[in-house]
Amino acid sequence: MQTGLGRRDSGKQGRAAQRLGIVGGAGSWGFAGADLALAAEASPGQLPNPELVVTSWGLTLAGAVISLIFAAKFFRGMVRADPGDPQMIRIADAVRAGARAYLGQQYRVILLFFIVVSALLAAMAFGLKTQSRWVPLAFWTGGFFSGLAGWIGMRTATLASSRTAQACKTSLNQGLQVAFRSGAVMGLTVVGLGLCDICLWFAILYWGVQLPLETVTVTMLCCVMGASSQALFARVGGGIFTKAADVGADLVGKVEQGIPEDDPRNPATIADNVGDNVGDVAGMGADLYESFAGSILAAAALGVSAFPQTPDLQMMCVLLPLLLAATGSLLSILGIHLVHTEEHASQHHLLHALARGINISTAGVIVATFGLVYLLLVVPSRTAVLPDGSPHPVGLALLGLAGSIIVGLVAGWLIGKWTEYSTSQEYSPTRHIADQSLTGPATVIIAGMAEGLYSVWVPVVVVCAGILLAFGFATGFVYHDDRLFALGLYGVAIAAVGMLSTLGITLATDAYGPIADNAGGNAEMSKLDPIVRHRTDALDSLGNTTAATGKGFAIGSAALTALALLAAYVEQVRTGLERWAFNSPAVAVSSSLEDATIRKLNPSLLVLRQSEADLNTLYLLNRTSALHPSADYVLSRDARVGADVAGVNVQKLVDDGLLISNRTATIPDYARYYDLSILNPRVLVGMFLGVMLVFVFCALTMKAVGRAAGAMVAEVRRQFHANAGIMLGTSDPDYAACVEISTKAAQREMVLPSVLALLVPVVVGVLLGVSGVVGMLAGGLSSGFAVAIMMANAGGAWDNAKKYIESGAHGGKGTEAHKATVVGDTVGDPFKDTSGPSLNILIKLMSIVSVVFAGLVVQYAVQIF
Amino acid sequence: MQTGLGRRDSGKQGRAAQRLGIVGGAGSWGFAGADLALAAEASPGQLPNPELVVTSWGLTLAGAVISLIFAAKFFRGMVRADPGDPQMIRIADAVRAGARAYLGQQYRVILLFFIVVSALLAAMAFGLKTQSRWVPLAFWTGGFFSGLAGWIGMRTATLASSRTAQACKTSLNQGLQVAFRSGAVMGLTVVGLGLCDICLWFAILYWGVQLPLETVTVTMLCCVMGASSQALFARVGGGIFTKAADVGADLVGKVEQGIPEDDPRNPATIADNVGDNVGDVAGMGADLYESFAGSILAAAALGVSAFPQTPDLQMMCVLLPLLLAATGSLLSILGIHLVHTEEHASQHHLLHALARGINISTAGVIVATFGLVYLLLVVPSRTAVLPDGSPHPVGLALLGLAGSIIVGLVAGWLIGKWTEYSTSQEYSPTRHIADQSLTGPATVIIAGMAEGLYSVWVPVVVVCAGILLAFGFATGFVYHDDRLFALGLYGVAIAAVGMLSTLGITLATDAYGPIADNAGGNAEMSKLDPIVRHRTDALDSLGNTTAATGKGFAIGSAALTALALLAAYVEQVRTGLERWAFNSPAVAVSSSLEDATIRKLNPSLLVLRQSEADLNTLYLLNRTSALHPSADYVLSRDARVGADVAGVNVQKLVDDGLLISNRTATIPDYARYYDLSILNPRVLVGMFLGVMLVFVFCALTMKAVGRAAGAMVAEVRRQFHANAGIMLGTSDPDYAACVEISTKAAQREMVLPSVLALLVPVVVGVLLGVSGVVGMLAGGLSSGFAVAIMMANAGGAWDNAKKYIESGAHGGKGTEAHKATVVGDTVGDPFKDTSGPSLNILIKLMSIVSVVFAGLVVQYAVQIF
């Protein structure tokens, strides 16, 4: 049976397999051999309207292409701007060369990593047959597009810095236009590339290879693993690079030698500016690419399981997140165009202009959401079929999904506002930290830690409410019906897509901050008029405020997406089980379900086969609290693994709920089968290990920053010591040596934490099985979310407390109070720029690795315990 | 029915109730009215041998009394020692007066709190009838004994400080004897009082009121809530007091005025020494009292559910933790006596002497464990009856429980050793932090945070392995049998008791550190020969090493006990449900289970009544995956809440596992009934909220320290400013004002975090129901454990990094490097002495509050979601 598949002429089995979507359609590539359908056989409902699918797909692709066209337009506009005087160009070139060299080096390491991992994935797909053969390829494209988004962001930012500085010579508004449009390049590139990648894979798998929808969405989800790996390397590597350079430049230059920030005499100053580009810009691009694609694909995967027996609704649930994202991207372009002010606008006006852009995009998405849900879901459908085969009237009830999407948008906005409150110098938490500087650095650190820990409560409560409401809107506030459970989780997933739908503009407001920062560096090093630096600082500070909102969306969506991936993991377990049954040797054909011959695959998995032309069907033997279980149940339960048992009344066992078909099992069925209860020691141990992974991951990244910064400090000291001309300004420092040190350190140090994040989920899976993995994901998600917020907010508040004092509070620059806040800022650097943002990716990477390796875990877990 | 109970002459119902243990025996106090038996009716097995019960109880009480006698002996011995010269006595008196005043004030606040909470508990017990009427009283005794342990510890420590200093004039060994024996007073007091409290309640409830064993253990567990509340106040209040004084004294005295630690000219110096006594000593006493009693009572409660149908084994499982703890206390006394050395022993020899004491006690417990388990469990039993009524051969298999106990001891030892590695200046983590001082305070903080986060991995892995192994040893490494599940959890609980069994001596080695520290302060202020201070420092440093082991036992046992309490919570849910059924109006009598009349209590709870003489029987309507559930199931499921349905074949539904009797349901049955799966949104939301509670609790305690320290700094500065004579040594500072400030601040600040810890579990329970509570407990446990270790280890490492530099590394005292580590130490103070230790209590208090309020939650949860 294994060998006959993948060919159209393999007789009866081949035809059955084709009907089930196991072999390809037109192309019939060998690749499709082991890709299985789950519910195709049982689906009685209406098939999706092909025209509607093509139209929706086309509109999504159009949204993606339009985003990329506008990104290109903004890019060309930025390139045409005046790049400034030769000194400015020289410095920008040096930064660009450093960033390019670093990213090139980083991509080489990642390439190696991708080769190793995809070889493993290929071994699993082709050798062990525990997953789709498309996974290795999907892994590559996700990684490629994510890396490309980072690269384009870096290239744009490095070209934009001198141009922004030049524009700031004219006015604040001119500077904003250059910087913000450059940020928009990144926002629209991420959105456009993400949607292109998804559309491409959908076309290949659904129309090209003609896989069933279940397999299409689950395979596409594996793209996210490539993107997540790329993003983790980019965030960890870039974070280490930038903070090593930053800490090195500050500690020796500012503190020991007493020269100002971005002084060209500081050997680490170019490395510092390179760091902003590779960490804050390229890292952020790869990160948000992963968030964006991940949320859409997780929602699509859950959309399939929301209505497993109603193919047209299934398809619409898959298309909804795509169209929502495409709509959001178009409204983002509109919003970006609305950001303009009068020539001599104040900072206050600029903030309003930015807020107007975001608000109009968001309002547009809310309105469009109702239209989309109405047209895609409400109009075509009147009745869905639930997993137990019972009809379920849907129609207008599905409008609730619009509620879920709006819940996502509102939750993101609330977290953003709270982030702003927790970290802005306008509000009491940051001012309180600044006040503590009067009693020295220790009290600044204690206050910052306390404020960071405290700031966790609002995002947690908002996400909790968001989960419950998004779930509730989707199901009509029915929380207890197993058959609606997947629909509820789809509501949570689509809420995450809603949160990220305006990414085009929110990322633009986030990404222009580092550009303005770099422009300031350029102005300082090029010894421009102080008014230029003043204006770039104003832009940077403006960026910090709007970036808070962007970060709120990113962090909130990470939690919701990770939760959706947790559910998608269970769906992937279903596929893994099906694959196992499919790859098992053929079972004797049973003439009827009333008198069937079953084969025990493991103590609680049975397979049977209804006809020659059919595939093995897998059944889960449910746990029961029955005092007197039926004879058939006892027979099935006590049979030896590998044995065939004849004469079992499977139909009766299914009717009684003691056997569950793997094709119609609901997510709560799996929860019972695998005992995913918190009281299960394996789940609890998994939770502890998930929490541990978060803590150790933070520790490793912080230690890496410490070591890299130590090397940088030594090098900068060595240069000042060896060449007295540097301080006198008579000879240039060796900038390249510092870039080299940061590059090497980042490459070396990023490997261990990243590999850990990939290995632990696999090891936990093999040792503790599915229940251990689910525990680990939940533990990692809940604690990782809290730690990430704590680190981001504490770091942001320390940074702004320092800026508050620099603006004149408590005596201003040069006082002991200022020095105390500099210590706080330095401690906050790895918090907010290395460990914190990486955690956001970690919690999703853990989930996605588990999803990809689910087939392996299902079949090969050792499960000593 | 409600009114007739509690009286022996209330006819048929009364007799039934008495048989079920609902009314009292001889005494027949009204109190016993609503205390229910769960399994008494169904218990077919052998009854426990009364002589064996009395003997075991008597031996435990004897162990308790002997511990108290030796505590008294050591106390008298210490009091007889030379208290030193008048100046020393004067200072010790001032410290004692301050500590007494503070504790008196604290107990007044706690008294108020206890009155409010016990009124609430009484309202629940007598009004809503959702819990045992003994709970309010049990709550008081737990709080009283815990507070008493703290008070005795404080009194001993304040008397011992000048005596230790005086003894150190002679030799190090003399000093060790006084300090260590004083520590032993606290260790043995905690153990003795804990066992006395337990023996007392057992006698009252089991023999006096003659409640069934299930009710006895669950009611006794409520003692722990009193002890936990007391401990939390003691740790939080004491922690705030001591750190406010410490930070205030250091920042103004040491840093601003440049006078050494414990200089009598520093106005905060007495407050600082008072703080050591109320925080480190009284707080620790209350804390470990709670851990000790909590682990024993959690194990006892699970012992009952391990063998619900085998009363003799049940009783032995309840007695095992008591006897184990009593044996451990006697072996601790032996170990304490073995701690002595030659007169002029080196520090190295002293360490060996202490280690010998602990090692011999531990080895003794390991040997005794086998004997106890053999005599109590293996000899009397051959066959147990499992929850489904099937026989289960036990006998020698129960020797596995000895394995569980040893797993606990080994796990505690491993965590202790790792704590020592992570925080001792002998090893690389602390030295690495010290090295970072060369680049300033920021890198010291980053390195300390990183090492603290990193240090989490070993304790987590050890606890995970401990959970799986303790569970496995108890069940013969069967992890999948629902019927053995409670036995497995009993294994985990008894492992925690094993870990704490040598508390008498480990607490002695932990508690003598602060005494030596105070002796040093006394020596400094009394201007004794520097050799005295040198010797007290040596004792203190020795104490730090041995205390690490003690902390390992405390923290490891907290995790295991909290897990046991999580399981006990589910047992309490069973009691809550039973109570609800009992308090419901009488249901029509069903003649047979085949043709029964049921009443719907809520959508999935049914009650029926088999005869006039009987009580309502509660059944849980199981969820089912059945495609065609039986007509009776559909009838029961779809009936209106409050309605009576006649003609239901209950027996068939039970046989099929669709209805489960509340009396025989296993813990996994409840997990399925309440859907405690991690994928349930309420569970997941609960987890997020549990993590949040941990973070916010830390934030509140740290902020409180910050505010209190700020007030102290202002006062100390004011005194130096107002009275120039202080620095000249011509006039005394106003010590009392500083004590007053710390006292007031601690009282004010300890309320909010403590109330939060009590309220959140109740609020989560009412809003999200049982599944939300279980999620919250799991989230709080896993993240709280990790955060507590991180804080304790980071704080300890910072402290020792400073000491390492003070011992001469990197230039020693007075250098910039030293200053940088002082910042680290100050940051670490609230980590290791306020927030960290409080978290240990928090995770248990959350569980115990949930246990106590389970009846309320079961019956009155709003469960909007």
Side-chain angles (χ1 to χ4, degrees), chain A residues 450-451 479 485 563 625-628 655 669 676 678-679 684 699 703 865, chain B residues 450-451 479 485 563 625-628 655 669 676 678-679 684 699 703 865:
Chain A
E451 294 295 347
Y479 291 88
F485 199 83
L563 175 54
S625 314
L627 289 180
H628 300 290
D655 285 348
D669 281 330
L676 301 185
I678 283 186
L679 297 170
L684 207 84
K703 284 177 158 206
F865 299 109
Chain B
E451 294 296 346
Y479 291 88
F485 199 83
L563 175 55
S625 316
L627 289 180
H628 300 290
D655 285 348
D669 282 331
L676 301 185
I678 283 186
L679 297 170
L684 206 83
K703 283 176 160 207
F865 300 109

Tab-separated table of all heavy atoms in Angstrom, chain A residues 450-451 479 485 563 625-628 655 669 676 678-679 684 699 703 865, chain B residues 450-451 479 485 563 625-628 655 669 676 678-679 684 699 703 865:
chain	number	residue	atom	x	y	z
A	450	ALA	N	10.045	46.690	39.927
A	450	ALA	CA	8.710	46.654	40.508
A	450	ALA	C	7.674	47.163	39.514
A	450	ALA	O	6.621	46.547	39.329
A	450	ALA	CB	8.673	47.478	41.796
A	451	GLU	N	7.981	48.278	38.834
A	451	GLU	CA	7.019	48.810	37.864
A	451	GLU	C	6.838	47.831	36.702
A	451	GLU	O	5.734	47.648	36.193
A	451	GLU	CB	7.473	50.175	37.333
A	451	GLU	CG	7.501	51.300	38.379
A	451	GLU	CD	6.118	51.654	38.929
A	451	GLU	OE1	5.110	51.232	38.352
A	451	GLU	OE2	6.057	52.333	39.973
A	479	TYR	N	-19.883	27.926	25.967
A	479	TYR	CA	-18.519	27.515	26.271
A	479	TYR	C	-18.400	26.020	26.512
A	479	TYR	O	-17.322	25.500	26.664
A	479	TYR	CB	-17.996	28.270	27.499
A	479	TYR	CG	-17.776	29.731	27.261
A	479	TYR	CD1	-18.798	30.643	27.437
A	479	TYR	CD2	-16.539	30.193	26.822
A	479	TYR	CE1	-18.599	31.996	27.201
A	479	TYR	CE2	-16.329	31.537	26.586
A	479	TYR	CZ	-17.366	32.433	26.784
A	479	TYR	OH	-17.150	33.752	26.543
A	485	PHE	N	-16.281	23.792	20.016
A	485	PHE	CA	-15.022	24.194	20.643
A	485	PHE	C	-14.032	24.753	19.618
A	485	PHE	O	-13.415	25.800	19.826
A	485	PHE	CB	-14.428	22.972	21.340
A	485	PHE	CG	-13.421	23.310	22.368
A	485	PHE	CD1	-13.810	23.657	23.645
A	485	PHE	CD2	-12.069	23.306	22.062
A	485	PHE	CE1	-12.872	23.986	24.599
A	485	PHE	CE2	-11.128	23.636	23.015
A	485	PHE	CZ	-11.536	23.968	24.291
A	563	LEU	N	-1.848	30.728	21.449
A	563	LEU	CA	-2.975	29.909	21.896
A	563	LEU	C	-3.602	29.173	20.713
A	563	LEU	O	-3.926	27.976	20.795
A	563	LEU	CB	-4.003	30.808	22.587
A	563	LEU	CG	-5.299	30.137	23.006
A	563	LEU	CD1	-5.023	28.920	23.855
A	563	LEU	CD2	-6.164	31.119	23.766
A	625	SER	N	-15.246	5.712	32.650
A	625	SER	CA	-15.426	5.540	34.083
A	625	SER	C	-16.422	4.425	34.340
A	625	SER	O	-16.886	4.247	35.463
A	625	SER	CB	-15.953	6.836	34.700
A	625	SER	OG	-15.231	7.941	34.218
A	626	ALA	N	-16.764	3.680	33.293
A	626	ALA	CA	-17.797	2.653	33.436
A	626	ALA	C	-17.369	1.597	34.445
A	626	ALA	O	-16.221	1.164	34.476
A	626	ALA	CB	-18.046	2.005	32.089
A	627	LEU	N	-18.325	1.210	35.292
A	627	LEU	CA	-18.041	0.142	36.240
A	627	LEU	C	-18.058	-1.211	35.527
A	627	LEU	O	-17.302	-2.101	35.863
A	627	LEU	CB	-19.085	0.154	37.357
A	627	LEU	CG	-18.966	1.325	38.327
A	627	LEU	CD1	-20.048	1.224	39.391
A	627	LEU	CD2	-17.592	1.344	38.970
A	628	HIS	N	-18.937	-1.320	34.532
A	628	HIS	CA	-19.049	-2.584	33.801
A	628	HIS	C	-18.970	-2.290	32.311
A	628	HIS	O	-19.992	-2.257	31.638
A	628	HIS	CB	-20.379	-3.282	34.129
A	628	HIS	CG	-20.510	-3.582	35.581
A	628	HIS	ND1	-19.740	-4.537	36.208
A	628	HIS	CD2	-21.289	-3.030	36.538
A	628	HIS	CE1	-20.066	-4.572	37.494
A	628	HIS	NE2	-20.987	-3.652	37.725
A	655	ASP	N	-21.212	4.431	18.851
A	655	ASP	CA	-22.472	5.010	19.310
A	655	ASP	C	-22.425	5.322	20.807
A	655	ASP	O	-22.989	6.309	21.266
A	655	ASP	CB	-23.631	4.033	19.033
A	655	ASP	CG	-23.998	4.026	17.554
A	655	ASP	OD1	-23.526	4.924	16.826
A	655	ASP	OD2	-24.726	3.120	17.135
A	669	ASP	N	-12.238	15.857	22.569
A	669	ASP	CA	-12.035	14.409	22.552
A	669	ASP	C	-10.553	14.075	22.732
A	669	ASP	O	-10.194	13.167	23.475
A	669	ASP	CB	-12.531	13.811	21.221
A	669	ASP	CG	-14.043	13.655	21.180
A	669	ASP	OD1	-14.631	13.457	22.260
A	669	ASP	OD2	-14.625	13.735	20.082
A	676	LEU	N	-5.235	15.667	28.904
A	676	LEU	CA	-4.530	16.950	28.958
A	676	LEU	C	-4.911	17.740	30.209
A	676	LEU	O	-4.676	18.943	30.283
A	676	LEU	CB	-4.845	17.761	27.703
A	676	LEU	CG	-4.451	17.080	26.391
A	676	LEU	CD1	-4.692	18.006	25.213
A	676	LEU	CD2	-2.989	16.656	26.416
A	678	ILE	N	-4.720	19.305	33.843
A	678	ILE	CA	-3.583	19.873	34.587
A	678	ILE	C	-3.138	18.933	35.695
A	678	ILE	O	-1.988	18.964	36.126
A	678	ILE	CB	-3.988	21.244	35.159
A	678	ILE	CG1	-3.946	22.269	34.040
A	678	ILE	CG2	-3.072	21.668	36.280
A	678	ILE	CD1	-4.171	23.663	34.507
A	679	LEU	N	-4.037	18.081	36.164
A	679	LEU	CA	-3.668	17.194	37.269
A	679	LEU	C	-2.818	16.016	36.797
A	679	LEU	O	-2.215	15.320	37.615
A	679	LEU	CB	-4.927	16.682	37.960
A	679	LEU	CG	-5.766	17.788	38.599
A	679	LEU	CD1	-7.103	17.247	39.033
A	679	LEU	CD2	-5.036	18.384	39.782
A	684	LEU	N	1.710	18.626	34.108
A	684	LEU	CA	2.254	19.547	35.095
A	684	LEU	C	3.762	19.670	34.962
A	684	LEU	O	4.327	20.771	35.029
A	684	LEU	CB	1.880	19.058	36.488
A	684	LEU	CG	1.804	20.184	37.478
A	684	LEU	CD1	0.445	20.847	37.404
A	684	LEU	CD2	2.061	19.689	38.866
A	699	ALA	N	18.044	33.978	30.458
A	699	ALA	CA	19.372	33.989	31.080
A	699	ALA	C	20.450	33.892	30.019
A	699	ALA	O	21.437	34.644	30.044
A	699	ALA	CB	19.482	32.828	32.070
A	703	LYS	N	23.217	36.683	29.356
A	703	LYS	CA	24.636	36.369	29.542
A	703	LYS	C	25.408	36.621	28.259
A	703	LYS	O	26.556	37.085	28.291
A	703	LYS	CB	24.793	34.894	29.921
A	703	LYS	CG	24.438	34.575	31.352
A	703	LYS	CD	24.564	33.075	31.568
A	703	LYS	CE	24.757	32.755	33.028
A	703	LYS	NZ	25.451	31.501	33.236
A	865	PHE	N	7.394	7.977	31.313
A	865	PHE	CA	6.499	8.265	32.444
A	865	PHE	C	5.044	8.231	32.011
A	865	PHE	O	4.709	8.765	30.987
A	865	PHE	CB	6.865	9.609	33.050
A	865	PHE	CG	8.264	9.624	33.578
A	865	PHE	CD1	9.243	10.346	32.937
A	865	PHE	CD2	8.617	8.861	34.683
A	865	PHE	CE1	10.535	10.348	33.412
A	865	PHE	CE2	9.913	8.861	35.151
A	865	PHE	CZ	10.872	9.604	34.512
B	450	ALA	N	20.886	37.499	35.204
B	450	ALA	CA	21.089	36.363	34.297
B	450	ALA	C	21.392	35.098	35.091
B	450	ALA	O	20.822	34.033	34.825
B	450	ALA	CB	22.215	36.675	33.313
B	451	GLU	N	22.283	35.211	36.102
B	451	GLU	CA	22.608	34.011	36.888
B	451	GLU	C	21.372	33.527	37.652
B	451	GLU	O	21.145	32.328	37.784
B	451	GLU	CB	23.752	34.301	37.864
B	451	GLU	CG	25.097	34.608	37.211
B	451	GLU	CD	25.683	33.433	36.424
B	451	GLU	OE1	25.205	32.295	36.587
B	451	GLU	OE2	26.602	33.667	35.619
B	479	TYR	N	1.236	5.018	35.335
B	479	TYR	CA	0.832	6.419	35.296
B	479	TYR	C	-0.560	6.605	34.696
B	479	TYR	O	-1.097	7.685	34.689
B	479	TYR	CB	1.829	7.250	34.488
B	479	TYR	CG	3.169	7.390	35.167
B	479	TYR	CD1	4.167	6.451	34.980
B	479	TYR	CD2	3.416	8.460	36.017
B	479	TYR	CE1	5.390	6.581	35.612
B	479	TYR	CE2	4.633	8.592	36.645
B	479	TYR	CZ	5.610	7.646	36.444
B	479	TYR	OH	6.815	7.787	37.072
B	485	PHE	N	-4.541	6.914	40.667
B	485	PHE	CA	-4.087	8.291	40.518
B	485	PHE	C	-3.878	8.981	41.875
B	485	PHE	O	-2.857	9.621	42.126
B	485	PHE	CB	-5.114	9.056	39.692
B	485	PHE	CG	-4.591	10.307	39.085
B	485	PHE	CD1	-3.889	10.272	37.898
B	485	PHE	CD2	-4.779	11.528	39.705
B	485	PHE	CE1	-3.392	11.427	37.332
B	485	PHE	CE2	-4.272	12.691	39.151
B	485	PHE	CZ	-3.585	12.629	37.963
B	563	LEU	N	1.519	21.182	44.944
B	563	LEU	CA	0.930	20.218	44.018
B	563	LEU	C	-0.044	19.297	44.753
B	563	LEU	O	-1.149	19.011	44.261
B	563	LEU	CB	2.044	19.412	43.350
B	563	LEU	CG	1.604	18.270	42.444
B	563	LEU	CD1	0.651	18.764	41.379
B	563	LEU	CD2	2.814	17.626	41.799
B	625	SER	N	-18.760	11.353	24.359
B	625	SER	CA	-18.547	11.552	22.932
B	625	SER	C	-19.486	10.665	22.136
B	625	SER	O	-19.319	10.508	20.930
B	625	SER	CB	-17.102	11.222	22.568
B	625	SER	OG	-16.216	11.776	23.506
B	626	ALA	N	-20.465	10.064	22.818
B	626	ALA	CA	-21.343	9.116	22.142
B	626	ALA	C	-22.130	9.800	21.030
B	626	ALA	O	-22.621	10.916	21.191
B	626	ALA	CB	-22.304	8.499	23.141
B	627	LEU	N	-22.218	9.111	19.896
B	627	LEU	CA	-23.017	9.647	18.796
B	627	LEU	C	-24.502	9.448	19.086
B	627	LEU	O	-25.329	10.265	18.726
B	627	LEU	CB	-22.641	8.934	17.493
B	627	LEU	CG	-21.257	9.283	16.944
B	627	LEU	CD1	-21.004	8.521	15.657
B	627	LEU	CD2	-21.149	10.784	16.702
B	628	HIS	N	-24.811	8.342	19.737
B	628	HIS	CA	-26.209	8.050	20.052
B	628	HIS	C	-26.317	7.727	21.531
B	628	HIS	O	-26.429	6.563	21.898
B	628	HIS	CB	-26.707	6.871	19.215
B	628	HIS	CG	-26.613	7.135	17.752
B	628	HIS	ND1	-27.418	8.045	17.099
B	628	HIS	CD2	-25.775	6.644	16.819
B	628	HIS	CE1	-27.096	8.082	15.829
B	628	HIS	NE2	-26.095	7.250	15.621
B	655	ASP	N	-23.181	1.935	35.254
B	655	ASP	CA	-22.426	0.842	34.655
B	655	ASP	C	-21.728	1.284	33.374
B	655	ASP	O	-20.620	0.858	33.068
B	655	ASP	CB	-23.357	-0.336	34.347
B	655	ASP	CG	-23.731	-1.087	35.614
B	655	ASP	OD1	-23.097	-0.822	36.661
B	655	ASP	OD2	-24.654	-1.913	35.573
B	669	ASP	N	-11.796	11.504	37.222
B	669	ASP	CA	-13.215	11.709	36.908
B	669	ASP	C	-13.590	13.177	37.032
B	669	ASP	O	-14.304	13.720	36.189
B	669	ASP	CB	-14.103	10.878	37.849
B	669	ASP	CG	-14.165	9.415	37.450
B	669	ASP	OD1	-14.030	9.129	36.247
B	669	ASP	OD2	-14.328	8.559	38.341
B	676	LEU	N	-10.827	19.951	33.100
B	676	LEU	CA	-9.623	20.634	33.575
B	676	LEU	C	-8.510	20.589	32.533
B	676	LEU	O	-7.345	20.820	32.845
B	676	LEU	CB	-9.143	19.998	34.884
B	676	LEU	CG	-10.166	20.022	36.016
B	676	LEU	CD1	-9.564	19.472	37.299
B	676	LEU	CD2	-10.669	21.444	36.258
B	678	ILE	N	-6.075	21.736	29.629
B	678	ILE	CA	-5.423	23.025	29.381
B	678	ILE	C	-6.070	23.760	28.224
B	678	ILE	O	-6.007	24.985	28.135
B	678	ILE	CB	-3.923	22.793	29.117
B	678	ILE	CG1	-3.216	22.526	30.435
B	678	ILE	CG2	-3.285	23.978	28.422
B	678	ILE	CD1	-1.743	22.437	30.312
B	679	LEU	N	-6.712	23.041	27.324
B	679	LEU	CA	-7.308	23.692	26.156
B	679	LEU	C	-8.615	24.389	26.498
B	679	LEU	O	-9.108	25.205	25.717
B	679	LEU	CB	-7.538	22.666	25.058
B	679	LEU	CG	-6.251	22.017	24.532
B	679	LEU	CD1	-6.574	20.846	23.641
B	679	LEU	CD2	-5.423	23.035	23.780
B	684	LEU	N	-7.107	28.014	30.865
B	684	LEU	CA	-5.995	28.793	30.337
B	684	LEU	C	-6.014	30.218	30.883
B	684	LEU	O	-4.978	30.780	31.258
B	684	LEU	CB	-6.084	28.800	28.819
B	684	LEU	CG	-4.742	28.998	28.178
B	684	LEU	CD1	-4.013	27.676	28.095
B	684	LEU	CD2	-4.882	29.590	26.817
B	699	ALA	N	5.637	42.700	42.619
B	699	ALA	CA	5.728	44.139	42.386
B	699	ALA	C	5.283	44.907	43.622
B	699	ALA	O	5.954	45.850	44.054
B	699	ALA	CB	4.858	44.523	41.186
B	703	LYS	N	7.617	47.387	45.705
B	703	LYS	CA	7.265	48.799	45.811
B	703	LYS	C	7.131	49.211	47.270
B	703	LYS	O	7.514	50.316	47.656
B	703	LYS	CB	5.938	49.061	45.110
B	703	LYS	CG	6.011	49.116	43.609
B	703	LYS	CD	4.605	49.291	43.056
B	703	LYS	CE	4.651	49.837	41.649
B	703	LYS	NZ	3.460	50.585	41.296
B	865	PHE	N	-18.467	32.763	32.083
B	865	PHE	CA	-17.830	32.189	30.895
B	865	PHE	C	-17.823	30.664	30.956
B	865	PHE	O	-17.579	30.095	31.973
B	865	PHE	CB	-16.406	32.727	30.776
B	865	PHE	CG	-16.372	34.205	30.644
B	865	PHE	CD1	-15.913	34.992	31.663
B	865	PHE	CD2	-16.844	34.815	29.487
B	865	PHE	CE1	-15.894	36.370	31.547
B	865	PHE	CE2	-16.825	36.184	29.370
B	865	PHE	CZ	-16.356	36.969	30.399
